[in-house]
Amino acid sequence: MTGSTPTAPAVKAGIIGLSWIAADPPGPASWHPLGTAPPYSHASAMDAVGGVDVVAVCDIQPDARSRFLDRWRNVWPDVRAFDDVNDMLEVQLDLVSVVTPDHLHGSMIERCIDAGVKMVFCEKPFTTSLDEADRLLERIDAAGTTVSVNHTWRWRPEVAEALEMIGRGDLGPLSHVTIEAGGPRAMLFRNLSHFIDLAIHLVGVEPDWVIGELEHGTGEYGLSYAGEGGSDPTLDPGASILIGFSGGVRAFVTGLKSSLPDVSVQVLCRDGRISIDGLGARVTSVSRTSDGTPASVSGPAIHPLRPRFTSSGMKAGLADLIDSFRRGEEPSGSAQSARRTVAVIDAILRSHAAGNAKVPVARPI
Ligand SMILES: NC(=O)c1ccc[n+]([C@@H]2O[C@H](COP(=O)([O-])OP(=O)(O)OC[C@H]3O[C@@H](n4cnc5c(N)ncnc54)[C@H](O)[C@@H]3O)[C@@H](O)[C@H]2O)c1
């Protein structure tokens, strides 16, 4: 979580898709993912990170283009708005944010690669099929494009702190992760992808297998994406998932429309638990005697988790992308890491179709 180098030349940037998540001014910092973008949109993150000059934006809707120009022309006076992405990509750009509906992400990344864009910051999900993810990974590797997928929870300061605690073994070995999300929203591909990514990020190893069930009442869904971009929540089902990781750690992830619009993240280790939910972030720990038995299970210590990191959400993700590109490294939200989330979603659909069978998660080709 570092800022980008202030002395570097300005990054010439573009944005494809200009809805609120691309164009809003920064909102009040909030932990909660369900309200306004917490706290950045793509444009406000580009503004906040510094050294980014937005010169070209695109949307098929005239209203979205004029709203963007009204809002941001005072910050980027030279910005031009296009109605066709191919025209926009004739402008030479270093970085492009892809903020279109879910099923267009893959083809937009591909067009950016064709146009020689060096960095792509793409909304989740990375793609809406595993085949497309694998084809795209080959193209990304061949072109050397640095791609980061905006699974925004990765860049929450509490999550970064939790990850460091797990890595140091502060609470003993990791046992399992539970994440509960809910609300009447487009779920599996659109919102649950945040929490599948988060579970994989926290556990830190390859997911091996999945047992999945689409939410009661979903009916026949099949093995292919049917969400039509994500704007109609009824087309993107909720799900309950058990993910098995190599080494024995498990993750339970639910995203149910019948449940309240809330999120609870619990990281359970041998000697304690990290909780991130509506009450804030906190650590519950038990101490152990010298022979290793828990000494204070009845009176665990609970204290707030105070992250040292200050950069959050999209601003942190964007800074990580630019810094990683400049260092020649893979960003935290790399296309490779985002492919794991697509592979787990693919496994959920296969498991559901096979009567909740335990199915392997397809490894990269
Ligand atoms: N990371 C987060 O926290 C977060 C939050 C909300 C949305 N999202 C993601 O952001 C993306 C956009 O979400 P949304 O609800 O605003 O979607 P949306 O369906 O409203 O589409 C976004 C914009 O893309 C434009 N668009 C559609 N096709 C286009 C094309 N071919 N060329 C150029 N512009 C095109 C639309 O006109 C619209 O203005 C989705 O992928 C969604 O999953 C992420």
Side-chain angles (χ1 to χ4, degrees), residues 16-21 38 58-61 64 85 99-102 104-105 108 123-125 150 152 190 194 229 231 314:
I16 311 171
L18 301 175
S19 67
W20 65 277
I21 189 71
C58 172
D59 201 292
I60 51 174
Q61 294 188 48
V85 68
V99 201
T100 55
D102 299 352
L104 300 179
H105 296 172
M108 293 296 176
E123 268 307 333
K124 46 76 203 168
N150 183 24
T152 323
R190 184 165 267 229
H194 275 304
S231 50
M314 263 194 249

Side-chain angles (χ1 to χ4, degrees), residues 31-361:
W31 75 272
H32 206 288
L34 308 179
T36 56
Y40 294 104
S41 63
H42 286 259
S44 60
M46 286 174 179
D47 185 28
V49 88
V52 177
D53 191 8
V54 177
V55 293
V57 295
C58 172
D59 201 292
I60 51 174
Q61 294 188 48
D63 286 2
R65 296 196 297 275
S66 46
R67 208 169 34 243
F68 188 94
L69 292 177
D70 289 349
R71 191 169 281 157
W72 290 104
R73 210 165 11 204
N74 64 330
V75 178
W76 298 300
D78 298 327
V79 62
R80 293 163 64 200
F82 297 84
D83 62 4
D84 185 298
V85 68
N86 293 325
D87 294 341
M88 172 187 141
L89 288 171
E90 281 179 17
V91 179
Q92 212 167 14
L93 299 168
D94 303 311
L95 183 154
V96 170
S97 268
V98 173
V99 201
T100 55
D102 299 352
H103 61 313
L104 300 179
H105 296 172
S107 63
M108 293 296 176
I109 295 176
E110 213 157 3
R111 289 188 212 196
C112 291
I113 294 172
D114 290 341
V117 173
K118 299 170 197 145
M119 293 171 266
V120 179
F121 192 43
C122 181
E123 268 307 333
K124 46 76 203 168
F126 175 38
T127 62
T128 49
S129 87
L130 190 54
D131 283 349
E132 188 182 24
D134 284 333
R135 279 199 312 274
L136 202 48
L137 275 179
E138 277 184 26
R139 290 233 46 212
I140 290 167
D141 280 354
T145 316
T146 307
V147 175
S148 179
V149 177
N150 183 24
H151 287 117
T152 323
W153 269 76
R154 274 182 177 253
W155 297 298
R156 299 186 69 91
E158 305 88 337
V159 168
E161 191 74 44
L163 209 55
E164 298 228 334
M165 291 180 72
I166 298 167
R168 286 195 303 265
D170 290 1
L171 299 172
L174 179 62
S175 163
H176 62 281
V177 171
T178 70
I179 304 178
E180 296 158 358
R185 305 175 293 148
M187 205 41 106
L188 183 58
F189 283 84
R190 184 165 267 229
N191 282 298
L192 208 46
S193 58
H194 275 304
F195 303 110
I196 295 168
D197 175 78
L198 179 59
I200 299 169
H201 186 51
L202 286 166
V203 176
V205 296
E206 289 289 334
D208 262 353
W209 53 262
V210 157
I211 296 172
E213 181 172 57
L214 299 185
E215 189 162 3
H216 179 71
T218 299
E220 291 297 311
Y221 188 85
L223 298 180
S224 306
Y225 177 69
E228 295 182 11
S231 50
D232 180 352
T234 62
L235 300 178
D236 198 7
S240 306
I241 314 145
L242 173 60
I243 309 172
F245 293 87
S246 46
V249 175
R250 305 284 180 258
F252 304 89
V253 184
T254 58
L256 297 177
K257 297 175 192 214
S258 55
S259 175
L260 72 167
D262 200 1
V263 176
S264 161
V265 179
Q266 307 287 327
V267 178
L268 292 106
C269 301
R270 186 195 60 196
D271 299 333
R273 164 203 302 264
I274 301 164
S275 309
I276 306 171
D277 57 25
L279 299 174
R282 59 208 176 278
V283 177
T284 306
S285 58
V286 298
S287 57
R288 289 191 168 255
T289 61
S290 53
D291 69 2
T293 51
S296 61
V297 180
S298 59
I302 302 175
H303 59 86
L305 180 72
R306 297 196 200 286
R308 287 157 299 142
F309 309 102
T310 52
S311 190
S312 173
M314 263 194 249
K315 180 184 171 194
L318 194 67
D320 177 64
L321 169 62
I322 296 169
D323 288 345
S324 302
F325 169 77
R326 287 183 175 148
R327 288 195 306 266
E329 294 170 4
E330 283 293 300
S332 154
S334 70
Q336 286 286 355
S337 77
R339 187 240 179 237
R340 293 190 185 103
T341 296
V342 178
V344 166
I345 293 175
D346 171 77
I348 294 164
L349 295 180
R350 285 187 286 115
S351 172
H352 179 79
N356 316 122
K358 182 173 171 180
V359 299
V361 176

